[in-house]
């Protein structure tokens, strides 16, 4: 089994919560590395590395998204337009992350799962333009909110830029979490961390 021998350091904290901004987009990742006693050597295996990486919660990038929907009646006549503000969250479940270790190359490879999309509409942001005042009823807000939710979910799913940006950001931040920690607890041997998205192959071959 491939292993790394790490020297325990008393300054490693139990929990970390990091907020990073990439191009105005917010990424949140919580992580719980090992907490060890002083001056003891511990052997870390691939499975233990995975345990460290998977300790965190869902890693999320948040994107503001503004749009509008059109509501029509049964005859296809437009009833109103409803503008809305929403948030699209893109991230992955850390419990599905896989880690492989190549001790000869001093290389740790992190395999990310598929990016997940979650879209939320702010009901308080909705504004209406009615084609006819008769459609301004007590139920219009509920109807418009349902339309906006469906609209935002579909637009987010079709937005390749969101998926690509979320993937790139996820890879960058995950590397920034793991590599400093590994090299802190292993000062004599420095390791490189490579993060791959679904379907990506390592340039190392």
């Amino acid at each position: 089994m491939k292993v790394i021998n790490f020297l325990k350091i008393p300054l490693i904290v139990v929990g970390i919560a990091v907020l990073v901004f990439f191009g105005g987009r917010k990424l949140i990742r919580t992580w719980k590395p090992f907490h060890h006693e002083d001056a003891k050597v511990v052997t870390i295996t691939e499975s233990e590395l995975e345990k460290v990486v998977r300790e965190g919660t869902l890693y999320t990038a948040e994107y503001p998204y503004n749009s509008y929907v059109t509501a029509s009646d049964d005859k296809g006549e437009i009833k109103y337009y409803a503008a809305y503000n929403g948030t699209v969250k893109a991230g992955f479940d850390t419990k599905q992350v896989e880690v492989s270790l190549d001790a000869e190359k001093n290389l740790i490879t992190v395999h990310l799962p598929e990016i997940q999309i979650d879209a939320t509409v702010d009901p308080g942001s909705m504004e209406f333009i009615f084609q006819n005042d008769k459609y301004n009823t007590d139920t219009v807000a509920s109807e418009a909110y349902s339309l906006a939710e469906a609209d935002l979910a579909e637009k987010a799913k079709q937005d390749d830029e969101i998926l690509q940006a979320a993937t790139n950001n996820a890879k960058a931040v995950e590397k920034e979490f793991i590599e400093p920690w590994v090299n802190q607890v292993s000062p004599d041997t420095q390791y490189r961390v490579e993060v791959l998205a679904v379907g990506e192959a390592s340039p190392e071959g």
Side-chain angles (χ1 to χ4, degrees), residues 62 68 98 103:
E62 296 185 0
Y68 72 93
E98 296 181 356

mmCIF file of all heavy atoms in Angstrom, residues 62 68 98 103:
data_model
loop_
_atom_site.group_PDB
_atom_site.id
_atom_site.type_symbol
_atom_site.label_atom_id
_atom_site.label_comp_id
_atom_site.label_asym_id
_atom_site.label_seq_id
_atom_site.Cartn_x
_atom_site.Cartn_y
_atom_site.Cartn_z
ATOM 1 N N GLU A 62 -21.352 30.567 -5.650
ATOM 2 C CA GLU A 62 -22.634 31.252 -5.795
ATOM 3 C C GLU A 62 -22.557 32.303 -6.900
ATOM 4 O O GLU A 62 -21.619 33.096 -6.939
ATOM 5 C CB GLU A 62 -23.037 31.911 -4.478
ATOM 6 C CG GLU A 62 -23.292 30.923 -3.353
ATOM 7 C CD GLU A 62 -23.800 31.602 -2.099
ATOM 8 O OE1 GLU A 62 -23.947 32.841 -2.115
ATOM 9 O OE2 GLU A 62 -24.037 30.901 -1.102
ATOM 10 N N TYR A 68 -36.223 37.220 -16.437
ATOM 11 C CA TYR A 68 -37.665 37.449 -16.355
ATOM 12 C C TYR A 68 -38.396 36.289 -17.022
ATOM 13 O O TYR A 68 -37.822 35.527 -17.811
ATOM 14 C CB TYR A 68 -38.050 38.774 -17.014
ATOM 15 C CG TYR A 68 -37.952 38.764 -18.523
ATOM 16 C CD1 TYR A 68 -39.071 38.444 -19.310
ATOM 17 C CD2 TYR A 68 -36.750 39.048 -19.164
ATOM 18 C CE1 TYR A 68 -38.983 38.415 -20.687
ATOM 19 C CE2 TYR A 68 -36.667 39.029 -20.536
ATOM 20 C CZ TYR A 68 -37.776 38.707 -21.297
ATOM 21 O OH TYR A 68 -37.693 38.667 -22.670
ATOM 22 N N GLU A 98 -12.482 11.300 -4.640
ATOM 23 C CA GLU A 98 -11.556 10.175 -4.570
ATOM 24 C C GLU A 98 -10.125 10.702 -4.658
ATOM 25 O O GLU A 98 -9.856 11.685 -5.360
ATOM 26 C CB GLU A 98 -11.815 9.176 -5.699
ATOM 27 C CG GLU A 98 -13.184 8.512 -5.608
ATOM 28 C CD GLU A 98 -13.417 7.511 -6.717
ATOM 29 O OE1 GLU A 98 -12.530 7.399 -7.604
ATOM 30 O OE2 GLU A 98 -14.466 6.848 -6.708
ATOM 31 N N ALA A 103 3.582 7.747 -4.462
ATOM 32 C CA ALA A 103 4.681 8.108 -3.566
ATOM 33 C C ALA A 103 5.990 8.299 -4.323
ATOM 34 O O ALA A 103 6.849 9.084 -3.904
ATOM 35 C CB ALA A 103 4.842 7.043 -2.488
#
